[in-house]
Amino acid sequence: MKLFITHTTQYSYGDPVMDSVNELRLTPFTNEQQSCYQHSISVEPNAPLFSYNDYFGNRVHVFSVNHTHRSLQIRTQMTVVTKEAIKPEQGREAMMPEEAWSYLVSDGAVNQFAEYLLPTEYTGITPEVAAFAESPVENGTNEMEQQGVFGWLSCVSNRICNEFVYDPEATNVHTIASDMLHRRRGVCQDFAHLMIAACRAKGVPARYVSGYHFVGDLQGGSADFEQASHAWVEAYVPGLGWCGFDPTNDALVGERYVKLGHGRDYKDIVPVKGVYRGTSEAELAVSVDVKRIDG
């Protein structure tokens, strides 16, 4: 699927500000599931952009506006071609269940994926989270030895989608997994953090992914911001590698998804963040449009 995406972030300040320093993580990956054919970033007031790859491999652009200004606009455009989701062939995984689970507890796996196994501020493993991860996820059984890693992940994604309510008013950007577990409602960020916490409680490496979800043709028009900007989970499945799961929609991550970046949790990959000197009175407006194009 070929997608054209426009993402605009607009800050408006009550009084002139200065020395605005910003980081952007708005560059799509090129990997086995997607290819970025065109990408541009424009900033107003005009400022030179510098870039580097962070620890997790995300492309970061940084810029500063030192003179006084009352607004700041960041606009990105990109064309990305996506592919279908990775999944086990004919319902069978590349490793037998016992072999896969045994690999995940080996010293080699624990050392290789350490940063995606440790709890974070957003993905703390409280007793409630651990109990959630231990509870039955399929046919009333909790015998992981009889269930492959991919199958277990699919069941966790399904359970979160079915048992929790999508409610933009219930949580905020600071909500952690255990809070969402008590409230039983939240948004994609919360759903992703809970699944990541459950995975880490079971010793499955998992990371937070930010990007876009194209649903415009399913909704009868162009996707708006809430529909397009999205968060999901990538978990490591022995024999398959990193596989994407969307617990908000109980879906495998495939051609309708465009990945911008990944990290341990939301804090690692905030799309736009920065600091400035001046008034605290500021308004933020964000718009994202994702369209399917031919060719």
Side-chain angles (χ1 to χ4, degrees):
M1 185 178 289
K2 192 172 186 179
L3 301 172
F4 179 73
I5 303 162
T6 302
H7 185 155
T8 303
T9 303
Q10 176 81 42
Y11 294 95
S12 300
Y13 307 105
D15 294 301
V17 302
M18 62 188 302
D19 295 336
S20 174
V21 181
N22 300 270
E23 282 187 355
L24 312 178
R25 285 173 172 79
L26 293 169
T27 303
F29 268 67
T30 290
N31 54 27
E32 65 276 3
Q33 281 197 259
Q34 67 181 45
S35 298
C36 180
Y37 285 87
Q38 174 270 330
H39 179 250
S40 65
I41 302 175
S42 62
V43 177
E44 179 62 39
N46 188 43
L49 293 169
F50 303 91
S51 66
Y52 67 93
N53 287 343
D54 67 14
Y55 173 80
F56 302 102
N58 306 305
R59 194 66 171 172
V60 184
H61 288 83
V62 297
F63 70 89
S64 61
V65 180
N66 297 320
H67 58 79
T68 58
H69 53 286
R70 297 197 63 154
S71 66
L72 174 66
Q73 184 186 85
I74 303 159
R75 181 179 175 86
T76 63
Q77 292 184 326
M78 62 198 79
T79 302
V80 183
V81 175
T82 60
K83 297 180 181 179
E84 263 303 345
I86 297 175
K87 61 185 71 174
E89 294 183 5
Q90 299 178 346
R92 297 182 61 85
E93 298 187 19
M95 287 187 180
M96 295 297 291
E98 298 86 348
E99 182 184 4
W101 288 111
S102 295
Y103 170 76
L104 289 179
V105 298
S106 68
D107 289 342
V110 172
N111 291 333
Q112 181 179 355
F113 301 113
E115 64 265 44
Y116 300 120
L117 287 168
L118 296 174
T120 67
E121 177 183 348
Y122 281 99
T123 62
I125 303 174
T126 63
E128 293 81 8
V129 169
F132 177 83
E134 289 289 350
S135 57
V137 294
E138 184 178 59
N139 298 328
T141 180
N142 189 39
E143 296 297 326
M144 289 191 303
E145 294 79 7
Q146 300 174 16
Q147 189 176 40
V149 176
F150 189 95
W152 183 84
L153 289 162
S154 298
C155 291
V156 172
S157 176
N158 175 266
R159 182 182 175 194
I160 293 174
C161 180
N162 289 329
E163 294 188 11
F164 294 81
V165 177
Y166 185 90
D167 182 356
E169 304 299 323
T171 57
N172 58 48
V173 72
H174 303 294
T175 301
I176 62 176
S178 58
D179 288 343
M180 206 278 284
L181 188 58
H182 288 132
R183 296 175 186 178
R184 313 300 292 184
R185 55 186 59 234
V187 295
C188 57
Q189 174 178 312
D190 306 307
F191 286 36
H193 280 146
L194 178 57
M195 182 169 179
I196 290 169
C199 288
R200 292 173 182 170
K202 281 298 187 184
V204 178
R207 58 196 189 191
Y208 183 99
V209 182
S210 70
Y212 307 110
H213 184 204
F214 173 60
V215 294
D217 59 341
L218 303 178
Q219 301 292 330
S222 295
D224 63 19
F225 169 58
E226 291 185 353
Q227 295 170 332
S229 292
H230 201 41
W232 59 90
V233 176
E234 285 181 347
Y236 187 82
V237 179
L240 288 177
W242 291 102
C243 299
F245 297 85
D246 178 5
T248 304
N249 297 293
D250 188 25
L252 295 179
V253 173
E255 63 179 357
R256 292 183 175 274
Y257 296 79
V258 173
K259 176 180 176 178
L260 288 177
H262 64 249
R264 294 163 297 182
D265 59 24
Y266 168 77
K267 186 181 290 187
D268 283 335
I269 51 172
V270 179
V272 179
K273 65 179 179 180
V275 296
Y276 63 88
R277 288 203 298 148
T279 178
S280 61
E281 296 180 14
E283 293 183 359
L284 170 63
V286 180
S287 64
V288 175
D289 186 46
V290 183
K291 295 180 179 178
R292 183 175 184 174
I293 57 178
D294 297 327

